[in-house]
Amino acid sequence: MLRAATEDDADTIRRLRNQQANRDVSITAHEITADEHAAWWAKTSADPSRRVLIYTRDGATAGVVNFFDLDATSGAWGFFLDADGLAERGETLPAWIEIMREATAYAFDELGLEMLTGEVLEHNAVVRQMNRRFRFAEGTPETRYADGREITVIPISLRRQDRRTQGRA
């Protein structure tokens, strides 16, 4: 289930974002400080072109979905899971499939988008495979420098008519 994030979720969002497994596959790889996160939250929560959603599983916070650069027909997204908690419970894969299914449905059915975009690091082969399963297309890789390291970022996109829905393999 997805629900809108509130001020009460801000610390949990930072805690999940700072899990090592999430930092390893993110453009921002450093540990996010409380002040840095507070500034991000203040800006994000007031921005009408953004939506931050909390993914819950069995009543517990299990991830965060971040939509940004939203306009009438397109937007970008990213997400991260409670990697530590889900791994401990053996629920990572089902949660991963569920959050992608729910987030793409939200993008197209709730937000009414025609195009959903995002980015994935080139070395993140497992996420790239899951993205293909959900019919995201990869664009031309781009080299960037972030947090003192060189990374290759691959843009991804999914058009409404190409999305995977229930009953469509």
Side-chain angles (χ1 to χ4, degrees):
M1 180 175 103
L2 296 176
R3 64 169 177 78
T6 69
E7 182 71 34
D8 291 341
D9 297 307
D11 289 339
T12 300
I13 293 169
R14 178 175 168 256
R15 180 180 56 78
L16 297 182
R17 175 59 189 87
N18 276 334
Q19 288 179 354
Q20 190 64 52
N22 291 326
R23 292 193 346 251
D24 287 346
V25 293
S26 297
I27 292 171
T28 303
H30 69 274
E31 189 162 334
I32 297 167
T33 67
D35 288 345
E36 182 182 6
H37 185 70
W40 172 85
W41 178 253
K43 181 180 175 185
T44 297
S45 60
D47 185 344
S49 72
R50 297 188 78 117
R51 302 284 185 289
V52 179
L53 307 175
I54 300 297
Y55 164 65
T56 59
R57 183 172 174 80
D58 298 327
T61 297
V64 179
V65 180
N66 186 22
F67 289 101
F68 53 98
D69 296 338
L70 294 170
D71 64 29
T73 62
S74 68
W77 81 306
F79 76 92
F80 48 92
L81 292 168
D82 175 5
D84 297 343
L86 290 166
E88 186 177 291
R89 295 187 302 277
E91 296 179 357
T92 302
L93 183 58
W96 188 4
I97 292 168
E98 187 174 59
I99 196 172
M100 287 193 70
R101 184 179 299 127
E102 289 188 19
T104 54
Y106 185 91
F108 295 115
D109 300 336
E110 298 295 321
L111 296 175
L113 302 182
E114 293 297 322
M115 174 72 78
L116 182 61
T117 63
E119 297 177 325
V120 62
L121 298 184
E122 181 180 52
H123 73 267
N124 199 347
V126 175
V127 168
R128 292 176 66 194
Q129 181 179 0
M130 183 68 80
N131 287 343
R132 285 190 288 277
R133 178 179 177 171
F134 275 80
R135 301 192 174 138
F136 280 88
E138 291 187 348
T140 304
E142 171 187 319
T143 300
R144 293 189 199 161
Y145 296 90
D147 284 349
R149 63 195 170 114
E150 181 179 292
I151 55 174
T152 302
V153 179
I154 300 173
I156 59 169
S157 62
L158 178 63
R159 297 178 307 162
R160 172 191 287 276
Q161 65 265 28
D162 296 334
R163 80 186 216 192
R164 184 181 187 128
T165 59
Q166 297 289 5
R168 258 176 68 188

